């Protein structure tokens, strides 16, 4: 029996989802009959020093780590416990409002038409350039609060609404400041090559990203990844390669927006460079997905984007054939205003045909791989004690309960940060 009060115990867990089951190999295109989650029933989790120190049967761990001696003791009352959610793709630091563009899309305008008229990304760029950094920090912290309440404990946030050195650095500074002291771990990505700014040509702007922005970003020392929008009307494969290779030279790991509207070779580039992830993939063919998986690049699907655009969802068959699932993210931005990973799980199920278990893998361990955090999105000794307690009888309610929030309590590093409503 432990008499040290410096531990947290969550006991009485109905389903403890510890991580993905091993399903690598040829499986076929149909939904799997076998489990894709490792689950323990009647379990408990013990944490100390911010890490998981034990998992196992609840009655055994309660005897070894009595709740009455714990710094924090939570009775899950038969409800499930999942790893904290990892959102691998957001543009969550921005200013301004684009709700009218949502209406314009409903009236038939395409994303590309809105962008060509000076809306979209370029409209947000103008708003961000006029904003104070303190306001950007405050706005991002509010978004992080909402994400945390919905179970997200780690989130990637991109710059990209500055499109010149000073504002890109300001955005990265705002990302770092908003994350400092907040329970959610924030992973910063530099995305100066998000769009071609007004009055510029793509090649000339790429030169400024490479020669001016990237050296300044390296000197600032905040960003971990470098991303680029490889798409018709944005940056070609050759331009994207130049940006990402320069990013590597400046110590940044490559990521890429690929195959969102057209297939121009972004997935091949991601595979060639060994990118951490290739994201969107709405138009990807089976061969594109196979190349990514063979190269060890984590594919990231963003079903909220398809939902918001009223478009087709990515095809799940290529992943099923390999016995895996893609990472799932929100793509939270002014054009995809959704911060809940539970809602992304719902869309992955309804729009793509994922099972609820596959969606859980997508928003936890697979999402962690997309941001080079393999120790996250799992519950096992040595992993961060980031835990989500659902207020529902089964993990399936995360996707099933799509008109509300199935998350009841959230622990970050073993400390209760959202609890009891």
């Amino acid at each position: 029996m432990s008499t040290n009060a410096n531990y947290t115990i969550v006991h009485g867990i109905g389903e403890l989802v510890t991580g993905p089951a091993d399903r690598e190999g040829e499986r076929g295109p149909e939904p799997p009959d076998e489990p894709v989650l490792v689950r323990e029933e009647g379990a408990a989790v013990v944490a100390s020093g911010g890490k998981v120190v034990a998992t196992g049967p609840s009655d055994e761990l309660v005897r070894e780590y009595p709740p009455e001696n714990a710094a924090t003791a939570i009775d899950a009352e038969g409800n499930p416990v999942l790893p904290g959610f990892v959102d691998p793709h957001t543009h969550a630091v921005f200013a301004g409002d684009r709700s009218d563009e949502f209406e314009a899309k409903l009236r038939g305008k395409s994303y590309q038409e809105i962008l060509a008229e000076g809306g979209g990304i370029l409209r947000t760029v103008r708003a961000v350039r006029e904003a104070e950094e303190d306001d950007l920090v405050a706005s991002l912290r509010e978004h992080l609060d909402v994400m945390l309440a919905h179970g997200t404990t780690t989130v990637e946030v991109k710059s990209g609404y500055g499109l010149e050195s000073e504002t890109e650095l300001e955005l990265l500074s705002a990302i770092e400041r908003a994350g400092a002291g907040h329970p959610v771990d924030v992973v910063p990505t530099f995305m100066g090559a998000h769009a071609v700014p007004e009055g510029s040509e793509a090649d000339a702007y790429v030169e400024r990203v490479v020669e001016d922005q990237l050296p300044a970003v390296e000197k600032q020392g905040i960003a971990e990844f470098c991303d680029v929008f490889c798409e018709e009307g944005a940056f070609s494969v050759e331009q994207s390669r130049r940006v990402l290779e320069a990013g590597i030279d400046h110590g940044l790991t490559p990521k890429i927006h690929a195959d969102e509207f057209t297939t121009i070779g972004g997935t091949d580039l991601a595979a060639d460079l060994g990118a951490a992830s290739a994201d969107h993939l709405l138009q990807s063919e089976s061969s594109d997905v196979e190349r990514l998986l063979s190269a060890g690049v984590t594919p990231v699907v963003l079903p909220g984007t398809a939902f918001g655009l009223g478009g087709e969802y990515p095809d799940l068959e290529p992943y099923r054939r390999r016995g895996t699932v893609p990472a799932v993210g929100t793509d939270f931005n002014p054009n995809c205003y959704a911060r809940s990973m539970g809602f992304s799980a719902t869309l992955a199920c309804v729009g793509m045909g994922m099972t609820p278990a596959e969606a859980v893998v997508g928003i936890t361990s697979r999402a962690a791989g997309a941001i080079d955090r393999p120790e996250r999105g799992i519950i096992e000794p040595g992993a961060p004690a980031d835990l989500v307690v659902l207020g529902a009888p089964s993990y399936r309610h995360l996707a099933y309960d799509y008109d509300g929030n199935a998350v009841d309590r959230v622990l970050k590093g073993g400390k209760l940060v959202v609890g009891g409503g």
Side-chain angles (χ1 to χ4, degrees):
M1 177 185 295
S2 176
T3 57
N4 176 13
N6 191 26
Y7 63 86
T8 294
I9 183 168
V10 183
H11 59 95
I13 299 169
E15 296 173 319
L16 175 62
V17 175
T18 57
D22 182 9
R23 295 182 59 247
E24 287 296 327
E26 296 294 328
R27 298 288 175 154
E30 298 302 318
D33 292 327
E34 75 276 21
V36 297
L37 291 174
V38 177
R39 301 197 299 278
E40 301 175 17
E41 296 184 2
V45 180
V46 180
S48 182
K51 305 287 187 181
V52 175
V53 296
T55 67
S58 187
D59 55 353
E60 293 180 11
L61 288 182
V62 164
R63 285 195 297 269
E64 186 175 355
Y65 298 91
E68 60 269 21
N69 293 346
T72 301
I74 295 172
D75 184 353
E77 299 179 332
N79 288 330
V81 170
L82 284 65
F85 309 147
V86 179
D87 191 343
H89 184 124
T90 81
H91 303 261
V93 57
F94 58 85
D97 179 75
R98 283 164 47 191
S99 58
D100 57 327
E101 293 181 9
F102 173 71
E103 183 175 359
K105 285 184 291 182
L106 297 177
R107 294 180 182 277
K109 281 195 175 180
S110 70
Y111 175 91
Q112 293 91 334
E113 287 173 330
I114 293 170
L115 184 63
E117 294 172 358
I121 293 170
L122 298 179
R123 182 178 179 188
T124 301
V125 168
R126 292 191 293 272
V128 166
R129 288 179 178 178
E130 294 173 359
E132 297 293 332
E133 183 177 321
D134 287 349
D135 294 330
L136 296 171
V137 172
S139 173
L140 179 51
R141 281 183 176 154
E142 290 178 2
H143 297 318
L144 294 176
D145 288 345
V146 174
M147 293 173 179
L148 181 65
H150 285 80
T152 297
T153 53
T154 302
V155 62
E156 184 259 18
V157 181
K158 306 176 195 295
S159 70
Y161 291 124
L163 306 187
E164 45 86 14
S165 292
E166 181 180 356
T167 312
E168 286 295 315
L169 294 177
E170 183 178 51
L171 285 165
L172 289 169
S173 175
I175 292 168
E176 182 181 55
R177 288 177 56 197
H182 197 282
V184 175
D185 284 329
V186 178
V187 178
T189 293
F190 165 66
M191 197 176 178
H194 194 191
V196 179
E198 293 173 300
S200 297
E201 296 293 332
D203 282 335
Y205 180 63
V206 165
E207 286 303 309
R208 295 203 295 275
V209 172
V210 170
E211 299 297 332
D212 299 332
Q213 294 182 27
L214 276 165
V217 168
E218 181 183 23
K219 183 178 180 181
Q220 185 188 43
I222 292 174
E224 181 175 339
F225 296 95
C226 178
D227 203 341
V228 61
F229 190 10
C230 183
E231 182 60 68
E232 284 186 1
F235 300 97
S236 69
V237 171
E238 293 75 19
Q239 291 163 343
S240 299
R241 179 182 291 275
R242 178 143 167 70
V243 170
L244 295 180
E245 288 182 341
I248 293 170
D249 291 341
H250 289 284
L252 303 180
T253 301
K255 296 170 76 71
I256 189 168
H257 286 50
D259 297 357
E260 182 175 2
F261 299 108
T262 55
T263 303
I264 65 172
T267 51
D268 286 339
L269 177 59
D272 288 345
L273 296 180
S277 71
D279 303 31
H280 280 293
L281 311 180
L282 290 172
Q283 305 301 324
S284 297
E285 302 290 339
S286 294
S287 58
D288 300 314
V289 172
E290 181 64 32
R291 180 90 194 276
L292 292 175
L293 293 173
S294 296
V297 179
T298 300
V300 178
V301 296
L302 306 164
T305 308
F307 178 79
L309 293 173
E312 294 184 2
Y313 289 82
D315 185 5
L316 197 57
E317 275 195 25
Y319 305 99
R320 288 243 174 91
R321 292 186 189 281
R322 285 285 294 264
T324 189
V325 293
V328 177
T330 62
D331 193 24
F332 171 57
N333 71 78
N335 189 54
C336 181
Y337 212 94
R339 294 160 288 189
S340 165
M341 290 292 275
F343 183 59
S344 293
T346 296
L347 295 178
C349 293
V350 175
M352 295 180 62
M354 281 190 185
T355 66
E358 288 175 320
V360 168
V361 172
I363 67 172
T364 55
S365 60
R366 287 295 277 163
I371 54 171
D372 290 348
R373 298 293 196 280
E375 75 284 0
R376 298 184 186 275
I378 54 176
I379 301 175
E380 62 182 40
D386 299 348
L387 311 174
V388 171
V389 183
L390 298 187
S394 166
Y395 72 88
R396 297 177 183 87
H397 275 257
L398 184 68
Y400 172 67
D401 184 9
Y402 52 81
D403 75 337
N405 181 11
V407 173
D408 181 53
R409 282 167 281 191
V410 180
L411 291 87
K412 180 66 181 175
K415 296 182 179 180
L416 186 66
V417 290
V418 174

